Amino acid sequence: MRGFFMSDEELGKKDDDHKAFRNGSGLRQPNWHPARVPPRRSLKRIGVVLLVAVLVYLFYKNIPVLGPDPRMRRPTYPYPELPTNADGRPSYDRSPSSLSRPKTRPAHTPERVYNGPVRFLELAQTLHAISGTRGNMVINRNVLFAASSLKSAATLLPIACQMGGELRNYVHFTLMSRSDITIRDLRKVNGIDDSCQIIFHDARPDYAQISTDDRMENAVFRALHHVFNYMHPQAIFVDGSSDEEPFLLRGAQQHSNAKKSTLIELPRKASKRLMWLTKLDSQALRMWNNNHIDILIHAVPGASGSLIRLLRSLSDADYTSCSVPHLTIELPHDIDSPTKRFLETFTWPPAHVYNPTNARFLSLRHRIPHQLMNEEESSARFLESFWPAQPANSHILVLSPQAELSPDYFHYLKYSLLEYRYSATSTYQHWDRRLFGISLEQPLQLLDGKEALSLPSLLKSSPSGDQIEGEISTSFLWQAPTSNAMLFLGEKWMELHDFVSRSLEAKRNSDPVPQLLTDKVVSTQYPSWLEHALRLARARGYWVLYPGEDTAMNLATVHSELHPIPEEYASQENSKPLLAEDASEEEIDNVRQKIRAGIEIPLAPVSLLDSLPNNGNLRAFSDLPILTWDGQAAEIEEINSLATKYATEFMEKVGRCDTTSKEKQKVRENLSTQDLFCTSE
């Protein structure tokens, strides 16, 4: 190695002094030449240099990240400066004047007869530049807005700008128009600057102004195909109103059917009604069309006025966020005359909802037995009214006739469902495993109907994050479900079916009946199936999302006047009518005062985003207060401990399980409560 790296002149001299000469005389040859480095040594030197260069390059490319992860930074892709001619037009002109054809029509009304092959002159440049968005992955954070009409572009761009400013998605906008407007001018006209965080793509084909509608439709399909291969957008937004060109809607629908992608056709005035969708991430938006909500109402005798009020509020609601839900009304044996007359003229979907097929999404079910039902019969009959075809995507909204809904209630349900059930954060942190349902009302009492519920609140904070004096209303998580106005997730509804079935079987086969099945925690003013729902929530550690006071005023209210007793408890001694037939004036006056003193939250409909705290963003579960079933504030560890304790007690006393033997303990199955019962299979 010393000789390999030797460069000192004196060291070379010393070697020469000890080197024998060929003539053996010790004298130098008169015509000697400097010794050349052997070729092998030159190759070694070149190899070492190349190896060092490669190591330096690899170290530079993979230098450790000491600060924030650059992958979480939003890449910026300013639209490239296009080559222009002297008149300022792009060098590759799309205008009809650039084609050699007989000019039989004025230039401003070109004849649309061209149907040649489709070429995209500017699309490849921007698609190749978005590798930082990880569009090669099937699951990513890309969403796409597509427009052909300039009116539709003006409608979609503010929504895209708002979504881009939330920094939850990579927002792309592609123009598929016949217009020759430049992307730069389009941005300028619509007030779009760099703060909007939108990545623009020009997907207009060549000769767009003279192309037939069939060629433009084919161009839309092919452009979306190229975009899909490079971007894999989780959702594609288009303007579904009459402002958009029909060829774009047809091409987008064909592409959605071919690729099974999510196509969201925004209705007219979506910028006012659906701005909450800009708060959702790409994974939640991907499930926009893949979830469905049914509505179930259990009518009771003598409450025709309440039922009519509820149905009218349902009809007045806004359902532009998705398809109209199916409505099922369970009618008692004795139907009041006002209810009969109202149902004869009641139509569902409402007249103001777009329904081109005139489909009817209303089911009326009339009970045959005349006698009153007991607790078991009432619970079984009510739960049998619905069964989700797809547990992960089909959900049920249970409404009491005493409820009244605001016009924006369905928007809140859709927003909360997508965020807390399908978003990337929800999936990663397993929020969906804990979520039993979403309530529209804010409860004021515990389930025993005696004590008031102490509503939690959060401390106000300054823009810098410091806490300041004062409290604000907030959504919260409570283990207790409700029967007034609550959306049950399809998976939890199926689990409740199984739990009730096994509980009733264990009750019939036990002598004596376990105390856990006879003790009533829920007041008799609620239906009997709610007791089973509470037991399941306690055993599994489930919770229900309840809105804060400000939000609840914009969702639903429950009227407390003349609250009817469920028929399964109507024969009990403590379920007497408020007034007897021969009541005195003093008794009537006392009942009136009692009714007026009833507490309820009045409806004050405002914009949904205005009613939500935190600038319209739904708070994460980790930031929400948690209450146990009896209204006590708790942490997640305490909820887990209480659930384990209750489940163990239930398995021992009701399920007849040997909880001390680990070998005999059953593994928990999805959509089943078999692990809680050992007496039935």
Side-chain angles (χ1 to χ4, degrees):
M1 293 299 295
R2 185 187 66 171
F4 181 74
F5 290 105
M6 187 173 294
S7 60
D8 191 1
E9 186 176 315
E10 291 299 323
L11 292 177
K13 176 64 177 173
K14 292 180 180 179
D15 285 347
D16 290 340
D17 293 341
H18 294 84
K19 193 172 184 179
F21 296 96
R22 293 181 179 179
N23 57 9
S25 60
L27 299 177
R28 298 180 179 272
Q29 296 291 341
N31 54 348
W32 64 275
H33 299 281
R36 296 181 178 178
V37 179
R40 182 175 298 177
R41 291 188 177 181
S42 299
L43 293 176
K44 288 182 178 180
R45 291 181 179 179
I46 294 174
V48 170
V49 172
L50 291 177
L51 179 61
V52 172
V54 170
L55 292 177
V56 171
Y57 174 78
L58 292 177
F59 177 78
Y60 175 76
K61 295 296 291 184
N62 299 274
I63 188 170
V65 179
L66 301 179
D69 191 348
R71 292 175 298 181
M72 299 303 296
R73 301 173 186 168
R74 293 186 57 79
T76 56
Y77 301 100
Y79 195 77
E81 296 293 334
L82 303 178
T84 57
N85 297 324
D87 59 354
R89 300 181 63 84
S91 58
Y92 31 86
D93 195 355
R94 297 190 190 86
S95 63
S97 59
S98 63
L99 300 176
S100 58
R101 67 181 189 282
K103 296 184 178 181
T104 59
R105 296 172 61 91
H108 62 279
T109 57
E111 186 177 0
R112 296 171 179 173
V113 296
Y114 184 71
N115 198 24
V118 175
R119 292 189 304 164
F120 302 100
L121 305 178
E122 304 169 39
L123 184 59
Q125 183 176 7
T126 52
L127 288 181
H128 289 156
I130 61 172
S131 59
T133 65
R134 299 190 176 185
N136 60 327
M137 302 178 66
V138 177
I139 304 298
N140 53 58
R141 295 194 296 160
N142 292 318
V143 295
L144 175 68
F145 288 79
S148 173
S149 167
L150 296 185
K151 289 184 178 180
S152 297
T155 300
L156 295 180
L157 280 173
I159 302 176
C161 180
Q162 179 67 27
M163 183 179 294
E166 297 292 336
L167 301 181
R168 299 192 69 180
N169 305 305
Y170 294 119
V171 180
H172 304 258
F173 184 92
T174 179
L175 185 62
M176 303 176 176
S177 161
R178 282 193 172 102
S179 172
D180 60 350
I181 186 175
T182 64
I183 296 295
R184 188 182 302 105
D185 291 341
L186 179 68
R187 295 179 55 171
K188 183 178 180 180
V189 168
N190 292 278
I192 304 299
D193 53 19
D194 293 338
S195 64
C196 287
Q197 300 290 342
I198 301 177
I199 305 171
F200 283 86
H201 305 274
D202 193 337
R204 290 173 287 185
D206 55 342
Y207 311 136
Q209 288 191 356
I210 62 171
S211 297
T212 63
D213 287 347
D214 290 341
R215 184 176 187 266
M216 293 300 296
E217 181 179 333
N218 181 41
V220 170
F221 182 88
R222 291 190 57 187
L224 290 177
H225 175 74
H226 293 307
V227 170
F228 188 85
N229 291 335
Y230 280 89
M231 188 189 305
H232 283 91
Q234 305 300 287
I236 301 176
F237 293 87
V238 297
D239 181 12
S241 69
S242 58
D243 292 339
E244 187 53 273
E245 297 288 351
F247 66 78
L248 182 134
L249 296 178
R250 292 195 301 266
Q253 291 169 356
Q254 292 174 9
H255 177 270
S256 176
N257 295 332
K259 296 296 184 179
K260 307 301 180 184
S261 58
T262 300
L263 178 65
I264 303 177
E265 299 185 30
L266 297 177
R268 189 177 299 275
K269 298 182 180 180
S271 58
K272 295 182 179 180
R273 299 177 179 178
L274 301 178
M275 285 304 289
W276 49 266
L277 64 81
T278 63
K279 311 286 184 178
L280 297 170
D281 65 13
S282 60
Q283 300 310 303
L285 293 172
R286 185 166 61 94
M287 299 298 297
W288 183 272
N289 300 323
N290 295 338
N291 60 88
H292 186 73
I293 297 176
D294 284 19
I295 300 177
L296 178 59
I297 301 175
H298 186 69
V300 295
S304 59
S306 300
L307 178 61
I308 294 173
R309 178 179 56 200
L310 172 61
L311 294 178
R312 284 176 175 170
S313 67
L314 284 173
S315 298
D316 294 338
D318 184 8
Y319 299 97
T320 55
S321 57
C322 68
S323 59
V324 178
H326 187 276
L327 175 60
T328 300
I329 304 177
E330 291 280 351
L331 297 172
H333 181 274
D334 297 325
I335 307 177
D336 301 330
S337 297
T339 302
K340 288 183 180 180
R341 292 193 297 268
F342 181 81
L343 292 177
E344 289 176 357
T345 58
F346 180 72
T347 59
W348 188 263
H352 64 85
V353 175
Y354 180 68
N355 185 22
T357 61
N358 292 322
R360 184 175 172 88
F361 302 116
L362 175 65
S363 297
L364 299 179
R365 296 181 179 178
H366 177 245
R367 196 180 76 203
I368 294 178
H370 187 279
Q371 67 274 14
L372 297 179
M373 294 183 294
N374 57 29
E375 294 184 14
E376 294 184 5
E377 295 171 343
S378 177
S379 299
R381 183 174 183 272
F382 179 77
L383 293 174
E384 288 171 355
S385 302
F386 172 75
W387 182 256
Q390 298 178 341
N393 302 325
S394 183
H395 315 286
I396 181 68
L397 173 62
V398 175
L399 296 176
S400 166
Q402 280 66 46
E404 183 182 2
L405 306 178
S406 74
D408 282 343
Y409 87 93
F410 205 76
H411 289 273
Y412 174 80
L413 281 182
K414 182 86 172 182
Y415 184 20
S416 301
L417 182 63
L418 291 175
E419 176 64 24
Y420 290 121
R421 174 61 181 84
Y422 300 110
S423 67
T425 306
S426 172
T427 304
Y428 178 76
Q429 299 185 0
H430 305 300
W431 292 352
D432 55 320
R433 298 183 183 180
R434 292 270 190 174
L435 185 60
F436 200 8
I438 302 172
S439 175
L440 293 174
E441 65 151 339
Q442 186 185 67
L444 302 175
Q445 288 182 327
L446 299 178
L447 289 184
D448 58 8
K450 299 177 182 179
E451 300 182 14
L453 175 65
S454 179
L455 299 176
S457 59
L458 295 177
L459 293 176
K460 293 182 180 180
S461 59
S462 61
S464 61
D466 300 331
Q467 292 183 352
I468 59 178
E469 295 183 359
E471 296 181 346
I472 56 175
S473 172
T474 180
S475 302
F476 60 95
L477 305 172
W478 190 21
Q479 276 197 294
T482 178
S483 61
N484 292 322
M486 175 175 166
L487 176 74
F488 286 86
L489 300 188
E491 298 156 313
K492 303 303 187 294
W493 186 265
M494 293 182 66
E495 192 173 357
L496 180 60
H497 264 248
D498 187 73
F499 181 78
V500 172
S501 175
R502 295 179 185 275
S503 297
L504 296 180
E505 183 69 19
K507 186 177 181 179
R508 283 191 294 267
N509 296 334
S510 300
D511 188 17
V513 179
Q515 188 176 0
L516 284 179
L517 296 181
T518 58
D519 289 346
K520 281 198 64 63
V521 177
V522 180
S523 171
T524 55
Q525 64 179 322
Y526 300 105
S528 57
W529 63 265
L530 192 61
E531 189 82 47
H532 295 286
L534 176 61
R535 293 169 185 161
L536 178 61
R538 293 180 63 184
R540 294 303 198 199
Y542 294 155
W543 51 49
V544 178
L545 175 69
Y546 284 89
E549 183 178 0
D550 297 336
T551 306
M553 295 175 62
N554 190 39
L555 298 178
T557 185
V558 178
H559 299 279
S560 58
E561 72 276 8
L562 299 179
H563 189 284
I565 300 297
E567 64 175 284
E568 58 264 35
Y569 302 122
S571 60
Q572 296 184 7
E573 295 182 359
N574 60 346
S575 300
K576 298 180 181 180
L578 291 177
L579 284 174
E581 295 182 359
D582 57 347
S584 63
E585 291 294 333
E586 183 179 357
E587 292 176 339
I588 295 176
D589 188 56
N590 292 335
V591 171
R592 288 176 177 173
Q593 293 180 4
K594 182 178 179 181
I595 294 175
R596 292 169 182 172
I599 302 175
E600 62 184 47
I601 297 178
L603 282 178
V606 295
S607 172
L608 177 60
L609 290 182
D610 293 337
S611 67
L612 292 172
N614 197 27
N615 296 325
N617 295 290
L618 297 178
R619 297 185 185 275
F621 272 176
S622 56
D623 297 335
L624 296 179
I626 305 177
L627 302 180
T628 60
W629 68 273
D630 55 354
Q632 302 299 318
E635 298 295 334
I636 183 63
E637 294 80 8
E638 186 177 354
I639 295 292
N640 294 335
S641 177
L642 292 174
T644 302
K645 181 180 178 181
Y646 183 83
T648 303
E649 183 182 5
F650 191 92
M651 293 169 63
E652 291 178 350
K653 298 181 179 180
V654 179
R656 307 298 183 186
C657 298
D658 184 7
T659 58
T660 60
S661 176
K662 295 184 178 180
E663 296 179 357
K664 296 182 180 180
Q665 292 183 7
K666 297 183 179 181
V667 179
R668 178 177 174 180
E669 298 180 4
N670 191 28
L671 308 179
S672 173
T673 58
Q674 185 178 357
D675 57 302
L676 298 176
F677 299 86
C678 298
T679 57
S680 61
E681 296 296 336

